Amino acid sequence: MTTERLPRNRTYLMCPPKHFTVEYAINPWMDTTVPVDAVLALKQWEILRDTLGDLGHRVHVLDAVPGLPDMVYAANGAFSIDGMVYGARFRYPERGAEADAHREFYAGQGWRFAGPQHVNEGEGDFAYLPAAYGGMVLAGYGFRTDPAAHAEAQEVLGRPVVSLRLVDPAFYHLDTALAALDDRNVTYYPGAFSAASQRVLAQLFPDAVIADRADAEAFGLNLVSDGRHVILNTEATAMGDKVRAAGYLPVHVDLSELKRGGGSVKCAVAELRA
């Protein structure tokens, strides 16, 4: 018998793709030769925002800044737990100023903010499970985030941080290879991680929903879940079937334009944990 999955209301931060384009390539999914449909990108983003709102969640909107085409990937700007924010420090200079915009947002909201000394890309490489082992942070490294940032985040946030090594360039952020389905369980694609990290995940999460490479390539792990509703892109049909079999309710949203920049649902949504 499948456990009943219960939703929990969340607060999110998103940034509209008003200046979104693929002007440079900093991950394997970006192709500067294929133009972005800006009108469609904004429409798809609005549907995602409205979907979250219709499910009962609150969505804050961060103003887009000209010259920062990747700001739509709002998950990368910071990572928060219990009103404490660990800021981002981007690997590539093209995205560096995004961190400033996020810091200003949190300052305006009265959050406690810690500026990072080490390179990290916010929720792109950090995931929080508040009911797993008393509250655990999973943290990815290998492509974008410096492993030293994991220790820094642990000191800032006061939660144990488990480092996981990413080994496949196609899955350059943790949020392309793993997602929290609720407060204690995850789904992940084992092949994105080193053999040792696979063993760690198997030990910590014996009941995880295991994805395959096709799911990951469809950005099916780049999802947002409230504990019951799992919002994922329309391409990830097989992943939708897997989470449904585990007792969750998949909600598909078309984000084909955002995939051109190497992101999908989760990349566009940061969770604000007051």
Side-chain angles (χ1 to χ4, degrees):
M1 186 175 68
T2 302
T3 302
E4 183 182 6
R5 308 297 184 181
L6 300 175
R8 176 168 60 81
N9 286 345
R10 316 287 179 113
T11 301
Y12 297 118
L13 178 66
M14 298 179 66
C15 179
K18 292 182 178 178
H19 309 290
F20 177 59
T21 182
V22 180
E23 297 178 347
Y24 46 78
I26 58 174
N27 68 62
W29 303 94
M30 301 178 85
D31 184 350
T32 58
T33 68
V34 180
V36 168
D37 185 331
V39 173
L40 180 58
L42 182 59
K43 180 180 179 181
Q44 291 177 344
W45 179 91
E46 289 173 341
I47 290 172
L48 174 59
R49 178 200 59 197
D50 293 347
T51 298
L52 294 170
D54 291 345
L55 290 171
H57 306 300
R58 184 180 182 188
V59 179
H60 291 272
V61 176
L62 180 66
D63 290 337
V65 177
L68 296 176
D70 282 343
M71 264 192 79
V72 64
Y73 304 121
N76 302 155
F79 178 56
S80 63
I81 297 177
D82 293 341
M84 186 71 209
V85 183
Y86 178 54
R89 184 175 180 181
F90 286 88
R91 172 71 62 186
Y92 292 101
E94 292 91 341
R95 299 195 65 184
E98 292 180 41
D100 299 328
H102 282 264
R103 183 180 63 252
E104 290 172 7
F105 167 81
Y106 287 104
Q109 296 289 318
W111 292 61
R112 293 170 293 148
F113 188 93
Q117 297 297 311
H118 298 287
V119 171
N120 81 89
E121 300 197 348
E123 284 196 336
D125 273 324
F126 290 104
Y128 183 50
L129 292 110
Y133 305 96
M136 172 183 288
V137 176
L138 301 178
Y141 73 98
F143 297 102
R144 294 294 189 86
T145 291
D146 187 330
H150 297 179
E152 187 176 45
Q154 180 168 278
E155 287 300 307
V156 168
L157 300 169
R159 296 290 188 279
V161 175
V162 176
S163 294
L164 302 168
R165 184 183 173 204
L166 298 163
V167 296
D168 188 327
F171 311 112
Y172 59 95
H173 271 156
L174 184 70
D175 70 5
T176 65
L178 177 148
L181 289 172
D182 53 39
D183 288 348
R184 66 177 68 248
N185 204 19
V186 301
T187 178
Y188 66 97
Y189 165 50
F193 298 92
S194 69
S197 292
Q198 290 181 42
R199 292 194 296 271
V200 169
L201 285 167
Q203 179 178 331
L204 293 175
F205 303 103
D207 299 322
V209 175
I210 303 300
D212 60 25
R213 186 176 185 88
D215 297 321
E217 289 182 342
F219 277 61
L221 291 160
N222 196 245
L223 60 82
V224 168
S225 176
D226 63 12
R228 173 170 172 77
H229 308 97
V230 177
I231 300 92
L232 66 171
N233 73 74
T234 52
E235 186 181 344
T237 53
M239 192 66 215
D241 292 339
K242 288 182 174 72
V243 299
R244 182 183 290 107
Y248 302 93
L249 183 63
V251 178
H252 289 279
V253 178
D254 187 359
L255 287 182
S256 58
E257 288 306 296
L258 291 192
K259 188 179 180 182
R260 297 184 187 278
S264 191
V265 176
K266 177 56 194 169
C267 287
V269 180
E271 185 168 350
L272 306 182
R273 303 176 186 89

